[in-house]
Amino acid sequence: MLIRVAVITPEDFAPRITAHAEHFDHMKFSTYIYRNPIECDALVEQIQGCDVLLFAGPLPYFFANKRFTEKRLPSVYIPSDEYTLTLNLGHILLNRSEGLQALSVDTPKRSYLEQAVAEWELDRSKWCVTDYSQIIDGEGTAFDPEQIIHFHRENYRSGRCNFILTSVDYVYEQLKMLEVPCMNMIVPEKSIRETVARAAHFGQLMISENAQIAVGLAAIDQLHEDGEGTKPDAGIMLQQMLLELGKETDASIQQLGLDQFILYGTRGSIEQMTHHFTRMPVMGNMEHLFGVTISMGFGFGMTAKEAEAHARIGLFQARKQSGSSAFLVTHEKEVIGPLSTDNKAFHLKSEDRELLQVAELTGLSIATVSKLSGFIKLRRENRFTATDLSEYLQLSRRSAERILKKMMAHRFVQSVGEEQPYKQGRPRAVYRINF
């Protein structure tokens, strides 16, 4: 069982990660090099054929988060935490004659440094410290490498510090070019080893999941009443397309009737067919040629019966859409779809007590409440209009407003302002979710 790990890292750090391959003979590493962590969003898009992503630190992980979430790939990163800072402060204390009197430090989170300082019982009253806590907490100081470079450079030029400790490779490179005395944080070998072990664990889980039973259902729906002879022709073409997909992904296809087909495979084959659940299998231009839509539902399960039941739920969701679409239902009853690069996910069931309470008090279904929770997790900030919500839920604005009204009655949603995108017309209310 070979676990394929994509390592996203600066070039000079890559050997320290890949050296651990000798301790994990069932792992294969492929490296993807970045210079500035902001580049990692585009870098992940290039990655094909891997089971897990391993990032060299929290910064590349943060900037690539949206991409690997879309690909639904398990991901880990080497931390830059209290343990890392404790090691680095000890290194400076032992190896620099100036000691720790006047430092300029950047760290992902200020509390990491506070804990390391407390461990050493140090006086840091003369230190200059900045952080970029947004990447850890989702709020706080945003990451701006140029601002961090400016911070350190000015501290050194003004005499407020005599040495810089940075946690950002790009910042270190730029400061070296400016001939500012600095040190890139040493990453403890223990942190690398533990992260590689976590990647192996997630990779094993991913491979096990890919062996789950999968069932797909494809159905033809007539767009117009005219043209009695169009459906058989559409059925023949759909069958041919599905058979080709089956050959490519090692899945079997059977015809259930004139307008419906069933597909049997594994989760891995469906993942390949849908490009990590980000697009509907190519159906050509059947809608244009035959005046039909193609609805597809995929289901995963521990048994064929469970997988087929989930596929029928997916097909039901797809048929509710206005055009051709596909939905997928996992064995945890998570519904993903319509399958596209910006697909959405919600749960048909939940064990989250808070979400269950919201559903009970508002009278909304747990699926709707789950969608609302997913809606906020996808957004950078918890601010939205009824139009934003209606577009996400694919409901009319009036339906979205009814949902908001029920939520506001129990203070799960509150109005926090207004926006007026156009010079004319009424302003739109801006809302925030409170759960």
Side-chain angles (χ1 to χ4, degrees):
M1 182 178 63
L2 185 66
I3 299 169
R4 300 164 300 174
V5 180
V7 179
I8 298 91
T9 175
E11 187 171 11
D12 60 348
F13 190 64
R16 291 194 61 194
I17 300 173
T18 57
H20 288 271
E22 62 188 48
H23 305 296
F24 297 87
D25 54 7
H26 58 290
M27 295 179 77
K28 178 184 177 182
F29 291 98
S30 301
T31 55
Y32 295 82
I33 305 301
Y34 69 85
R35 185 164 175 266
N36 188 327
I38 295 174
E39 302 166 5
C40 292
D41 180 52
L43 195 60
V44 169
E45 193 65 30
Q46 303 171 19
I47 297 173
Q48 299 293 332
C50 81
D51 301 306
V52 61
L53 303 177
L54 193 161
F55 292 89
L59 274 169
Y61 177 92
F62 172 78
F63 284 107
N65 184 273
K66 183 178 180 181
R67 289 284 179 227
F68 66 70
T69 301
E70 288 173 355
K71 287 177 175 285
R72 305 185 71 82
L73 283 170
S75 305
V76 296
Y77 67 86
I78 299 168
S80 182
D81 53 14
E82 305 93 326
Y83 180 71
T84 304
L85 280 160
T86 300
L87 172 68
N88 281 271
L89 292 176
H91 179 85
I92 294 171
L93 189 61
L94 292 171
N95 292 281
R96 285 188 58 83
S97 57
E98 299 90 338
L100 299 168
Q101 292 303 309
L103 286 183
S104 183
V105 184
D106 64 70
T107 174
K109 197 171 176 180
R110 196 175 293 259
S111 62
Y112 293 163
L113 183 66
E114 298 294 348
Q115 187 166 336
V117 166
E119 293 277 354
W120 281 92
E121 297 183 356
L122 298 171
D123 175 14
R124 74 160 194 87
S125 58
K126 295 181 180 180
W127 295 7
C128 303
V129 181
T130 187
D131 68 6
Y132 39 94
S133 56
Q134 187 185 63
I135 73 161
I136 303 293
D137 299 330
E139 57 185 13
T141 311
F143 175 73
D144 183 342
E146 300 305 326
Q147 183 62 40
I148 294 173
I149 292 167
H150 177 77
F151 173 82
H152 289 312
R153 186 178 63 229
E154 292 306 307
N155 287 336
Y156 179 71
R157 285 179 177 175
S158 65
R160 287 191 293 270
C161 77
N162 55 31
F163 193 67
I164 287 94
L165 176 62
T166 178
S167 56
V168 185
D169 301 278
Y170 175 75
V171 171
Y172 172 73
E173 290 177 6
Q174 298 303 306
L175 291 174
K176 289 290 286 184
M177 289 173 61
L178 294 169
E179 298 184 344
V180 175
C182 59
M183 170 180 155
N184 200 7
M185 279 198 192
I186 301 167
V187 179
E189 198 66 27
K190 177 176 180 287
S191 298
I192 301 173
R193 184 173 61 251
E194 290 178 349
T195 303
V196 172
R198 283 171 53 224
H201 173 69
F202 283 124
Q204 288 170 346
L205 288 177
M206 188 71 173
I207 291 170
S208 298
E209 282 193 349
N210 283 345
Q212 285 178 1
I213 296 169
V215 171
L217 291 169
I220 302 172
D221 297 303
Q222 199 82 23
L223 278 175
H224 309 291
E225 294 301 324
D226 57 340
E228 287 295 321
T230 59
K231 243 184 186 181
D233 292 341
I236 292 169
M237 179 173 277
L238 177 59
Q239 183 180 31
Q240 290 301 314
M241 290 180 171
L242 289 173
L243 287 170
E244 288 299 318
L245 280 172
K247 289 178 184 177
E248 294 173 9
T249 57
D250 200 26
S252 65
I253 312 294
Q254 294 180 20
Q255 188 165 4
L256 296 179
L258 184 64
D259 60 355
Q260 195 167 98
F261 301 84
I262 190 165
L263 175 153
Y264 295 99
T266 63
R267 178 171 177 142
S269 64
I270 301 304
E271 182 174 337
Q272 182 182 344
M273 188 181 293
T274 60
H275 296 262
H276 295 286
F277 317 145
T278 60
R279 68 182 74 165
M280 180 178 176
V282 177
M283 288 298 130
N285 55 354
M286 292 184 65
E287 195 166 319
H288 173 71
L289 285 174
F290 302 107
V292 298
T293 59
I294 307 300
S295 300
M296 300 187 74
F298 298 100
F300 302 147
M302 304 309 293
T303 65
K305 184 177 180 181
E306 182 185 34
E308 184 175 344
H310 291 164
R312 294 195 182 281
I313 294 170
L315 182 62
F316 171 75
Q317 295 288 338
R319 279 179 151 163
K320 288 163 59 176
Q321 306 302 303
S322 57
S324 296
S325 67
F327 277 74
L328 186 151
V329 181
T330 70
H331 75 285
E332 300 96 346
K333 286 189 165 43
E334 181 185 25
V335 181
I336 304 167
L339 298 187
S340 65
T341 52
D342 59 346
N343 61 43
K344 308 166 183 70
F346 64 93
H347 282 84
L348 295 171
K349 68 173 186 176
S350 176
E351 295 178 3
D352 187 313
R353 291 185 178 180
E354 186 176 9
L355 296 186
L356 290 170
Q357 183 183 31
V358 173
E360 182 180 353
L361 290 173
T362 60
L364 297 171
S365 69
I366 188 61
T368 299
V369 175
S370 177
K371 286 180 184 179
L372 290 169
S373 178
F375 172 61
I376 292 305
K377 288 176 182 176
L378 281 173
R379 299 174 69 85
R380 286 284 185 181
E381 59 178 1
N382 188 358
R383 299 285 191 280
F384 62 94
T385 65
T387 301
D388 296 329
L389 186 60
S390 68
E391 289 174 355
Y392 178 82
L393 296 178
Q394 296 187 321
L395 298 172
S396 67
R397 178 169 173 171
R398 183 170 294 181
S399 296
E401 287 173 342
R402 280 198 293 267
I403 291 171
L404 288 170
K405 186 175 180 180
K406 289 182 179 180
M407 301 289 284
M408 291 179 72
H410 295 276
R411 299 186 179 180
F412 293 123
V413 167
Q414 68 179 109
S415 176
V416 293
E418 292 182 340
E419 70 171 21
Q420 190 161 8
Y422 308 106
K423 290 184 179 180
Q424 296 180 344
R426 296 174 61 186
R428 300 173 180 173
V430 177
Y431 302 95
R432 180 176 66 200
I433 288 179
N434 295 326
F435 67 86

